[in-house]
Amino acid sequence: MVKLEDNQGRRFEKLRISLLNSCNFSCVYCVSENFSNSAADALRFSANEQPLAPEEISRLVESVHQLTPLKSIRLTGGEPLLYANLFPLIQRIQEIGISDIRLTTNAYYMKEKAAKLYDAGVKSVNISIDAVDQVIFNSISRHPNTARVFAGIEAAVNAGMNVKLNAVIMRGKNDSQIIPLLEYATGLGVKIRFLELMKMGHLYHTENALFFSEKEILSAIQSKYQIEQMQRETAETAHYWRASNGGVFGIIANESTPFCHDCNRLRMDSNGIFYGCLSNAHGEKLASYMDDSEKLAEKLSGLLRLKQPVKFHGSELSMRNIGG
Ligand code: SAM
Ligand code: SF4
């Protein structure tokens, strides 16, 4: 049998599924500047896309899970709350025997769905929010309605979910928001993670003037608060600190403090194509190998070998397709 562990001892243990590549936002770091997010565009995106059915996704997940046991599934996108069959899919994944099901969302539709998601078994959610200031938020998300996002975050907290906030920090765009975001998260009693900008999709091969480093994020926080570093958990993307305002924040620093060495993530895009590494655009459509476990294991082993040994370099993969 093919060994599903690479020579650095890495295995696939967490699967991230991009349910669809359409989204109601067009965040500048995710979607190229030329893209307009008019209603017509949103419809065009949705109309072109044929998201996989829950049964198709769960069959793929089950085949992979039998070969390499998955500890958790993260549903992402595009915007996963736009996936019409979200609740049947959650149920099917649970029937396979995977109970740890998480979500990454922009929270626009969270207010209506938070309690139902929690009851369905989604106990943990990452919510993207790049600014507290509405003008800045809107200029990044290229979407006018911020109030719904804040309401969505609060609904998730009130539903009892373990909420983490994610903010991609960009020079000159939202670096002024680091302290307000930290204070907002602390007030809510949730963790926030600041992300270094990643060279994905339209940002690949660009020299990015927007890049704002881990060191700069730390010094912005230290201009107001003292900080103390916490222990990193294995395969965790973020390093965490406790700030003297009582808040806990993390930094996901692909460039400054890479975390490839113990990466345990496998990804599937909305077309059922699996990727072993964000930094390698080669994917495998596994649907045709589901009844041939030898071949499936070979393909998974090939994807495992694509993981970077040390450091992320980016790729042409669009975050909107692969899900982050
Ligand atoms: N729509 C959902 C959301 O925004 O949370 C899920 C999909 S989104 C692609 C997943 C995550 O990827 C978000 O937290 C987003 O901020 C992050 N992301 C997208 N493009 C990025 C980039 N170029 N660099 C760093 N993070 C990025
Ligand atoms: Fe949509 Fe998320 Fe990409 Fe923003 S980051 S455009 S919310 S998929």
Side-chain angles (χ1 to χ4, degrees):
M1 195 62 179
V2 180
K3 197 176 168 209
L4 282 169
E5 183 175 305
D6 74 1
N7 56 13
Q8 295 183 213
R10 296 178 294 190
R11 293 171 164 267
F12 290 131
E13 293 178 325
K14 294 184 174 176
L15 173 64
R16 304 166 84 107
I17 305 174
S18 175
L19 297 178
L20 70 181
N21 62 21
S22 42
C23 185
N24 49 328
F25 287 11
S26 299
C27 303
V28 292
Y29 44 72
C30 185
V31 178
S32 101
E33 292 285 342
N34 304 327
F35 181 85
S36 95
N37 203 23
S38 63
D41 268 326
L43 277 176
R44 182 168 56 76
F45 255 74
S46 313
N48 281 351
E49 168 155 332
Q50 282 296 333
L52 298 180
E55 308 76 52
E56 294 175 280
I57 296 176
S58 63
R59 265 198 82 204
L60 284 163
V61 173
E62 187 166 24
S63 308
V64 171
H65 184 54
Q66 279 167 356
L67 288 173
T68 183
L70 299 168
K71 290 185 183 159
S72 67
I73 304 263
R74 177 169 298 280
L75 304 175
T76 172
E79 176 43 47
L81 296 185
L82 289 172
Y83 181 73
N85 293 306
L86 188 59
F87 289 97
L89 174 65
I90 291 168
Q91 191 181 340
R92 282 187 174 264
I93 294 173
Q94 284 167 334
E95 284 162 8
I96 296 167
I98 305 170
S99 57
D100 188 347
I101 303 171
R102 303 168 181 213
L103 200 69
T104 299
T105 173
N106 63 33
Y108 190 82
Y109 295 105
M110 193 49 134
K111 188 167 180 238
E112 300 82 348
K113 298 186 194 243
K116 196 170 168 204
L117 281 166
Y118 185 84
D119 291 344
V122 178
K123 308 291 187 211
S124 181
V125 65
N126 291 351
I127 298 180
S128 307
I129 173 165
D130 298 320
V132 173
D133 179 279
Q134 301 209 358
V135 174
I136 299 176
F137 184 100
N138 294 346
S139 74
I140 295 172
S141 65
R142 293 184 278 183
H143 192 283
N145 192 338
T146 317
R148 280 183 61 88
V149 172
F150 287 102
I153 294 171
E154 280 145 41
V157 172
N158 292 336
M161 289 176 171
N162 174 19
V163 176
K164 277 192 220 123
L165 305 181
N166 281 346
V168 179
I169 302 300
M170 291 168 288
R171 184 178 313 284
K173 287 210 182 274
N174 64 342
D175 47 325
S176 65
Q177 294 296 292
I178 296 171
I179 295 276
L181 281 165
L182 173 63
E183 291 174 347
Y184 171 67
T186 306
L188 271 183
V190 304
K191 289 180 185 161
I192 180 158
R193 300 176 318 168
F194 300 106
L195 280 75
E196 285 184 350
L197 186 63
M198 293 161 71
K199 286 187 180 180
M200 296 292 292
H202 67 292
L203 300 180
Y204 191 46
H205 290 316
T206 57
E207 261 330 302
N208 214 322
L210 296 176
F211 181 79
F212 198 82
S213 71
E214 174 177 52
K215 199 170 161 210
E216 292 172 296
I217 295 168
L218 287 173
S219 92
I221 294 170
Q222 283 173 304
S223 70
K224 184 156 180 192
Y225 299 114
Q226 290 178 336
I227 61 172
E228 185 193 334
Q229 186 155 13
M230 298 163 73
Q231 187 78 29
R232 175 182 182 264
E233 282 176 28
T234 307
E236 180 59 83
T237 50
H239 285 84
Y240 283 96
W241 287 259
R242 191 176 295 286
S244 53
N245 72 336
V248 171
F249 70 92
I251 303 184
I252 303 184
N254 277 280
E255 294 286 337
S256 308
T257 314
F259 38 82
C260 300
H261 65 280
D262 58 1
C263 171
N264 60 4
R265 289 170 287 284
L266 173 67
R267 294 176 163 88
M268 185 185 100
D269 75 9
S270 52
N271 294 310
I273 300 174
F274 284 74
Y275 299 87
C277 178
L278 260 189
S279 217
N280 191 308
H282 177 81
E284 291 279 2
K285 194 148 196 162
L286 297 182
S288 35
Y289 308 113
M290 280 190 293
D291 299 323
D292 181 348
S293 59
E294 271 294 314
K295 191 82 189 155
L296 185 61
E298 250 175 54
K299 292 285 172 193
L300 284 168
S301 169
L303 291 178
L304 199 50
R305 284 197 298 275
L306 298 181
K307 284 196 180 299
Q308 293 289 328
V310 183
K311 191 174 186 314
F312 166 91
H313 297 284
S315 76
E316 306 85 349
L317 292 171
S318 140
M319 286 297 234
R320 189 149 160 169
N321 275 328
I322 186 127

